[in-house]
Amino acid sequence: MSHPDYRMNLRPLGTPRGVSTVAGPHDIGASPGDKKSKNKSTRGKKKSIFETYMFKEDVSEGLKRGTLIQGVLRINPKKFHEAFIPSPDGDRDIFIDGVVARNRALNGDLVVVKLLPEEQWKVVKPENNDKETEAAYESDIPEELCGRHLPQQSLKSYNDSPDVIIEAQFDGSDSEDGHGITQNVLVDDVKKLSVCVSEKGREDGDAPVTKDETTCISQDTRALPEKSLQRSAKHLPCCFCEILVLLMGEKYNVEQIPGAILPCWSPTCLYKTQVMVVYILEKKHSRAATGFLKLLADKNSELFRKYALFSPSDHRVPRIYVPLKDCPQDFVARPKDYANTLFICRIVDWKEDCNFALGQLAKSLGQAGEIEPETEGILTEYGVDFSDFSSEVLECLPQGLPWTIPPEEFSKRRDLRKDCIFTIDPSTARDLDDALSCKPLADGNFEVGVHIADVSYFVPEGSDLDKVAAERATSVYLVQKVVPMLPRLLCEELCSLNPMSDKLTFSVIWTLTPEGKILDEWFGRTIICSCTKLSYEHAQSMIESPTEKIPAKELPPISPEHSSEEVHQAVLNLHQIAKQLRQQRFADGALRLDQLKLAFTLDHETGLPQGCHIYEYRDSNKLVEEFMLLANMAVAHKIHRAFPEQALLRRHPPPQTRMLNDLVEFCDQMGLPVDFSSAGALNKSLTQTFGDDKYSLARKEVLTNMCSRPMQMALYFCSGLLQDPAQFRHYALNVPLYTHFTSPIRRFADVLVHRLLAAALGYRKQLDMAPDTLQKQADHCNDRRMASKRVQELSTGLFFAVLVKESGPLESEAMVMGVLNQAFDVLVLRYGVQKRIYCNALALRSHHFQKVGKKPELTLVWEPEDMEQEPAQQVITIFSLVEVVLQAESTALKYSAILKRPDTHGHLGPEKEEEEEEESDGEPEDSSTS
């Protein structure tokens, strides 16, 4: 990416004097092995730091031969020198060590990597103070299962290794994914014996390690797995992946190649090969970042007179030189005035011979820590288009308002305006995609309809409106507002199924038995008139009061053609059928991993959060969910039968094998009877293993969170580009075919599915898109959906941080998810957030880490408040219940968790509960009843 005004050769710039190549958390251009070396003989020379990218033709050939591998790059937000791409077998991740090996690629980019020659592998010795990784390693518990879930801030006074963060990759809260939040885990590297790149531009003079030399490169044999000590490193294929190792596109059996050092791409493997990014196929990262302006350190340098340094808030983005002419006029004279001002900067170039990128300052957002500037920064960083729709797009909308349905549509559609049809949505919703109907039949069965807004009618194929909707691909839901995929005239008026207004819809109508068995099925275009707009709360009150009439004042307006009793009975009938459908779905092997979700109450005037609560998922939500799932599955089969090579479907791959195996091992160590053999078995374990008491429910939340981590993203795909139908399957739903049909106002994939369904029913000609073109659109929808979910998560985090700042400190019970030797991770149960608590932030006299069997245990000895008292001891183990306090830090929008001191009577509260509960959970009747 270049810009005509700022494209320049940075070769003579090099690294500015006074700006170290190792610059704390942003030290771009330095991997862990770079930190202690300065080669003075290279001073003044123009030296490349990064490799030149391969030619496109060579990349294509390498991908065909299997000597190169492509994948989406994920960078650890807190250990920015660690990056990963998925391995071709899908079982694990390929580890990319160091910024130089990443070769200027940014998070989310589609990259091509190659395996470097063995002579370029090097040994990196662990830092002496890296006690956290030692503790995690010795505890024999995989780091990805120790509760490192959301990007949390470490205390500045903590000098051990930084937090290890799992970068959430959100696939949406849709129940069909089996979980609200899907994560790909970034595993903490155990660097007792690791091999890293011989990076060009590295100033370390260490010689390469040969095969023979590797046999004695670690003296701390206690830290090595027992199986790795049974052979010399010369014969060590991999300390974890012992049987099959992936090498240059082929699989080799270790036993067939005795004495060979085979490469492993696991970040937790003690013996690593090195991987280098050689090409960026697609720059999916927006190249935009929010952050702060700083002066260069050396005021006498030539650079100081031309550039300022932009320091991104996201450490995965490099520091950026920005021309001073882009900066505020008085920035050089009064830099402190801008110390808390948030800016947006865009990278326009990044040369091979420079640690830092070159950028253009886009705009000043305002004060850091304020909701609107921070929100705009989040949207910009993730490439969300929140600009106003252009005049060309708005010209595609109906111009004569108020708009009415053209008379010819009545002859093309089934008229359902007299039927009792209604919507059930969140009380604040304005884009009403779906409506439901339930008509009792004389034979005791029911005619049940799902009616979806006919958005494709208003979005002409190939129009400017179609193009911008395809580009946005999804609406983005923030805490305080929505960034719509379509203009609000469509979202909130013409398409939205508002009550007592004729609307164009696409319907799926079944004849169902009371048990939910499908007797008949019909698809078609319809016209409806919703009789009322129910909220989930309205529907829930009807479900909870089956024989009582709901007072009219407690209900929304209902059209005169239908009574509240009729609506009430329809809701009850739908609820009973939905219960049967749900029961059958889980009996057939479906999985749902519900995780805690925060909802906020906002001040109407200031927009600031006044409070928050965990969103409760109730029967009314489940009612709507079941019929949306049923419609999506029905449409998937319909379009796939009609267009087996051109159907836009949605698949959910099974969990990553390696991570799932680690989780199985963890549960065995903790004595948890969890069956991971299938989605259904896992769901059965989670629903039947735990009781209903407070401790059991908390432990279920923690384990549910852990189970979500091996889960992969659900993905849109074109059926014609996958050869094996087994790959079409949706793991969480445990169904062969699935798609998205029910939310076309907010998802472009659904608009495409509507067009496919219309073609399958003969309403229009076949979609004029080749399978590979449809796949590209599917890939784009996947990318934007993931970005949208990440933005939604960051918006929630922003509002919660503001709440802690404005209303804190906040107290809550928490459950321990992972134990390290100087810290432990907790799930804060009242708020659903996860934090790390550091021992050195507590008023402790001492602390001691040990393993009891295979379980890590941290003993805290508290400094007594009264010198006459004995120090209180507190034992922290996984699944301990503790009391925590969330409090704001001095840095804007950062907060920490502090453990509350145990009461003076001792420490037997949560710990004693845990012992008793664990004993009761292990009783034989649990397994016998399941």
Side-chain angles (χ1 to χ4, degrees):
M1 292 176 63
S2 61
H3 190 285
D5 297 334
Y6 296 99
R7 185 171 179 83
M8 57 188 298
N9 187 353
L10 295 186
R11 192 173 296 275
L13 298 180
T15 303
R17 292 173 58 199
V19 179
S20 169
T21 56
V22 182
H26 301 272
D27 58 7
I28 302 305
S31 73
D34 298 336
K35 296 184 177 181
K36 57 186 177 182
S37 58
K38 297 281 183 185
N39 190 338
K40 295 182 180 179
S41 65
T42 62
R43 186 174 294 169
K45 294 184 179 180
K46 300 173 182 178
K47 183 176 62 173
S48 289
I49 296 167
F50 301 102
E51 290 280 350
T52 303
Y53 293 132
M54 291 178 65
F55 291 111
K56 189 173 182 179
E57 297 77 12
D58 297 334
V59 170
S60 298
E61 185 61 29
L63 290 172
K64 289 178 184 176
R65 292 199 312 265
T67 58
L68 300 177
I69 297 169
Q70 72 177 49
V72 175
L73 186 73
R74 303 194 322 275
I75 304 173
N76 188 330
K78 283 301 182 63
K79 286 192 172 181
F80 65 90
H81 54 81
E82 295 182 351
F84 304 80
I85 66 168
S87 66
D89 61 9
D91 284 348
R92 67 201 72 222
D93 287 323
I94 298 173
F95 179 57
I96 302 172
D97 190 16
V99 176
V100 174
R102 206 155 67 228
N103 201 3
R104 296 164 286 164
L106 298 184
N107 189 65
D109 286 351
L110 181 61
V111 300
V112 176
V113 301
K114 73 172 180 180
L115 186 70
L116 293 183
E118 186 180 327
E119 61 268 15
Q120 293 189 28
W121 303 354
K122 281 197 174 183
V123 176
V124 175
K125 295 180 182 179
E127 297 178 11
N128 291 332
N129 68 342
D130 196 8
K131 295 178 182 177
E132 290 286 3
T133 48
E134 289 178 20
Y137 184 73
E138 290 167 0
S139 71
D140 218 13
I141 293 178
E143 288 260 4
E144 64 266 37
L145 302 181
C146 289
R148 290 166 209 132
H149 176 192
L150 295 176
Q152 310 294 4
Q153 301 297 331
S154 59
L155 297 178
K156 292 182 179 179
S157 58
Y158 188 70
N159 294 320
D160 281 352
S161 61
D163 294 3
V164 180
I165 302 303
I166 296 166
E167 181 190 4
Q169 292 194 323
F170 298 98
D171 187 56
S173 55
D174 289 35
S175 58
E176 47 92 0
D177 297 331
H179 47 88
I181 302 174
T182 309
Q183 280 116 7
N184 284 330
V185 175
L186 306 183
V187 188
D188 189 15
D189 184 16
V190 184
K191 294 190 177 74
K192 290 296 176 188
L193 170 74
S194 66
V195 188
C196 82
V197 64
S198 173
E199 296 165 342
K200 291 189 70 175
R202 226 168 103 152
E203 294 159 358
D204 191 329
D206 292 347
V209 177
T210 65
K211 295 182 190 177
D212 292 328
E213 289 171 325
T214 60
T215 59
C216 57
I217 55 182
S218 176
Q219 297 179 0
D220 187 5
T221 56
R222 293 172 301 171
L224 294 174
E226 184 177 346
K227 55 187 170 185
S228 72
L229 298 178
Q230 294 173 353
R231 65 184 83 202
S232 69
K234 179 177 179 180
H235 296 92
L236 177 67
C238 172
C239 60
F240 289 96
C241 321
E242 201 164 20
I243 306 303
L244 289 176
V245 179
L246 197 64
L247 173 64
M248 305 298 277
E250 301 182 40
K251 287 186 177 180
Y252 293 87
N253 190 295
V254 172
E255 303 300 324
Q256 296 173 354
I257 315 177
I261 298 181
L262 299 181
C264 174
W265 289 331
S266 168
T268 51
C269 178
L270 297 189
Y271 191 75
K272 285 199 252 338
T273 61
Q274 182 56 47
V275 174
M276 167 77 77
V277 172
V278 295
Y279 194 75
I280 302 176
L281 281 173
E282 187 177 352
K283 292 181 178 179
K284 292 192 175 183
H285 189 282
S286 66
R287 266 50 185 180
T290 58
F292 302 91
L293 276 181
K294 300 177 180 179
L295 290 175
L296 297 180
D298 189 351
K299 295 183 179 180
N300 299 318
S301 69
E302 182 70 20
L303 279 174
F304 185 87
R305 290 186 285 273
K306 294 182 179 180
Y307 296 96
L309 192 64
F310 179 81
S311 183
S313 302
D314 185 347
H315 296 178
R316 297 170 296 180
V317 180
R319 285 185 169 186
I320 304 168
Y321 290 125
V322 293
L324 284 175
K325 64 179 181 178
D326 284 357
C327 303
Q329 290 185 349
D330 59 345
F331 170 68
V332 175
R334 305 172 62 88
K336 290 184 179 179
D337 290 357
Y338 298 91
N340 199 44
T341 302
L342 205 58
F343 291 90
I344 291 179
C345 182
R346 295 188 182 277
I347 294 175
V348 296
D349 205 356
W350 193 357
K351 295 291 186 181
E352 297 167 8
D353 56 1
C354 190
N355 290 289
F356 304 153
L358 180 68
Q360 178 181 358
L361 210 59
K363 67 180 293 188
S364 169
L365 292 173
Q367 291 299 295
E370 295 181 359
I371 286 176
E372 287 311 314
E374 295 280 358
T375 297
E376 185 174 343
I378 291 169
L379 293 172
T380 303
E381 283 189 8
Y382 283 86
V384 176
D385 182 1
F386 57 94
S387 62
D388 293 335
F389 289 95
S390 69
S391 57
E392 291 80 9
V393 169
L394 297 178
E395 285 173 3
C396 299
L397 303 177
Q399 299 301 308
L401 299 177
W403 180 84
T404 55
I405 297 174
E408 62 267 20
E409 285 300 318
F410 289 89
S411 61
K412 300 176 183 177
R413 296 171 181 263
R414 186 168 167 180
D415 191 345
L416 303 177
R417 288 177 295 169
K418 293 183 179 180
D419 288 11
C420 179
I421 298 175
F422 47 87
T423 59
I424 305 176
D425 287 280
S427 57
T428 56
R430 290 187 290 183
D431 50 351
L432 311 181
D433 283 292
D434 53 271
L436 292 165
S437 62
C438 185
K439 184 190 301 182
L441 300 178
D443 57 4
N445 295 318
F446 296 90
E447 183 183 273
V448 175
V450 169
H451 314 279
I452 307 300
D454 191 359
V455 175
S456 61
Y457 175 88
F458 294 96
V459 184
E461 199 169 349
S463 65
D464 288 326
L465 176 59
D466 185 42
K467 291 173 184 175
V468 76
E471 183 60 33
R472 293 193 178 201
T474 180
S475 296
V476 180
Y477 289 81
L478 306 168
V479 171
Q480 77 277 35
K481 61 185 176 182
V482 179
V483 180
M485 179 182 78
L486 297 168
R488 294 195 182 276
L489 177 63
L490 292 184
C491 288
E492 298 175 8
E493 295 183 44
L494 300 187
C495 294
S496 184
L497 305 183
N498 299 325
M500 290 167 270
S501 176
D502 293 353
K503 299 293 180 180
L504 300 178
T505 46
F506 225 140
S507 300
V508 186
I509 299 175
W510 302 274
T511 301
L512 298 176
T513 67
E515 296 74 36
K517 182 181 178 181
I518 298 175
L519 303 178
D520 191 27
E521 186 175 65
W522 179 87
F523 302 88
R525 284 178 168 166
T526 52
I527 299 175
I528 70 166
C529 182
S530 170
C531 66
T532 188
K533 177 190 174 183
L534 297 178
S535 68
Y536 283 118
E537 290 75 20
H538 293 138
Q540 188 64 32
S541 66
M542 292 178 174
I543 291 170
E544 293 175 355
S545 305
T547 59
E548 298 177 20
K549 181 177 179 179
I550 308 295
K553 63 181 180 180
E554 296 178 15
L555 292 175
I558 298 175
S559 67
E561 290 80 6
H562 302 280
S563 65
S564 62
E565 290 83 2
E566 185 181 5
V567 174
H568 191 166
Q569 189 58 52
V571 169
L572 291 175
N573 291 338
L574 287 170
H575 170 58
Q576 292 302 323
I577 298 171
K579 283 201 302 183
Q580 297 293 326
L581 289 171
R582 190 177 185 85
Q583 182 180 338
Q584 188 59 49
R585 219 165 40 81
F586 288 115
D588 290 341
L591 166 68
R592 184 179 176 89
L593 297 177
D594 283 318
Q595 295 192 64
L596 302 177
K597 179 182 175 184
L598 266 183
F600 294 86
T601 53
L602 305 181
D603 186 286
H604 291 295
E605 294 181 1
T606 65
L608 293 175
Q610 293 178 316
C612 67
H613 60 277
I614 297 296
Y615 183 79
E616 189 178 358
Y617 191 78
R618 300 193 288 181
D619 285 340
S620 55
N621 302 82
K622 296 173 184 177
L623 182 160
V624 175
E625 174 189 59
E626 288 307 315
F627 290 106
M628 297 305 111
L629 290 173
L630 195 65
N632 285 335
M633 288 185 281
V635 171
H637 284 274
K638 184 70 175 179
I639 63 175
H640 185 251
R641 280 195 302 267
F643 309 112
E645 300 295 313
Q646 200 188 20
L648 180 65
L649 302 174
R650 188 163 174 80
R651 64 189 180 94
H652 187 207
Q656 290 188 355
T657 306
R658 159 73 195 292
M659 290 172 57
L660 195 64
N661 292 339
D662 289 340
L663 187 55
V664 170
E665 184 179 351
F666 168 79
C667 289
D668 288 343
Q669 290 172 1
M670 300 304 297
L672 294 171
V674 182
D675 184 353
F676 292 93
S677 59
S678 67
L682 175 56
N683 193 80
K684 189 175 181 181
S685 294
L686 291 174
T687 53
Q688 297 185 1
T689 298
F690 300 95
D692 292 329
D693 60 285
K694 179 178 67 174
Y695 177 79
S696 297
L697 292 174
R699 194 162 64 159
K700 182 182 178 182
E701 291 293 348
V702 169
L703 190 60
T704 297
N705 185 280
M706 291 179 174
C707 290
S708 73
R709 295 177 185 178
M711 300 299 165
Q712 301 196 65
M713 287 179 57
L715 299 166
Y716 298 113
F717 71 101
C718 175
S719 57
L721 294 186
L722 277 183
Q723 301 302 318
D724 184 3
Q727 291 183 298
F728 290 21
R729 290 196 65 84
H730 198 291
Y731 171 81
L733 292 175
N734 196 31
V735 294
L737 295 175
Y738 190 70
T739 194
H740 272 167
F741 162 75
T742 54
S743 296
I745 291 178
R746 62 184 178 92
R747 293 187 304 228
F748 189 72
D750 301 52
V751 176
L752 293 174
V753 168
H754 276 229
R755 290 172 180 169
L756 285 165
L757 181 59
L761 297 172
Y763 290 122
R764 53 159 290 162
K765 64 179 181 179
Q766 188 172 343
L767 210 61
D768 186 22
M769 292 180 78
D772 58 343
T773 304
L774 186 57
Q775 182 60 50
K776 286 181 181 178
Q777 183 62 53
D779 291 339
H780 181 69
C781 288
N782 291 329
D783 293 340
R784 297 320 307 160
R785 184 171 172 83
M786 187 173 71
S788 169
K789 295 304 175 184
R790 182 65 178 141
V791 166
Q792 189 174 358
E793 167 79 5
L794 290 171
S795 178
T796 299
L798 167 65
F799 273 78
F800 187 68
V802 170
L803 182 67
V804 174
K805 179 183 175 184
E806 298 293 327
S807 306
L810 305 178
E811 296 186 4
S812 171
E813 277 193 312
M815 178 162 276
V816 176
M817 303 180 69
V819 178
L820 302 172
N821 75 327
Q822 299 193 53
F824 54 96
D825 298 310
V826 297
L827 175 65
V828 183
L829 298 172
R830 183 175 296 171
Y831 305 110
V833 300
Q834 297 169 51
K835 296 294 288 184
R836 175 168 291 182
I837 297 177
Y838 297 96
C839 292
N840 69 348
L842 306 176
L844 301 180
R845 177 169 290 184
S846 64
H847 60 273
H848 172 66
F849 175 87
Q850 64 177 349
K851 274 204 312 180
V852 180
K854 292 185 176 181
K855 299 179 183 179
E857 183 178 283
L858 190 60
T859 301
L860 310 180
V861 181
W862 288 84
E863 197 70 59
E865 293 181 292
D866 187 337
M867 296 307 294
E868 296 180 0
Q869 293 179 335
E870 288 293 317
Q873 283 196 2
Q874 187 173 11
V875 178
I876 303 295
T877 61
I878 295 176
F879 298 134
S880 291
L881 269 178
V882 296
E883 293 281 341
V884 300
V885 178
L886 302 178
Q887 56 189 32
E889 295 183 17
S890 56
T891 310
L893 297 186
K894 290 181 180 162
Y895 63 95
S896 57
I898 302 296
L899 186 66
K900 284 189 70 175
R901 179 189 294 270
D903 59 44
T904 55
H905 300 292
H907 61 286
L908 298 180
E911 281 70 35
K912 185 63 177 176
E913 283 182 26
E914 179 189 355
E915 289 176 10
E916 293 173 351
E917 194 59 48
E918 282 186 335
E919 289 172 3
S920 65
D921 277 354
E923 290 296 318
E925 58 262 26
D926 277 355
S927 56
S928 62
T929 54
S930 62

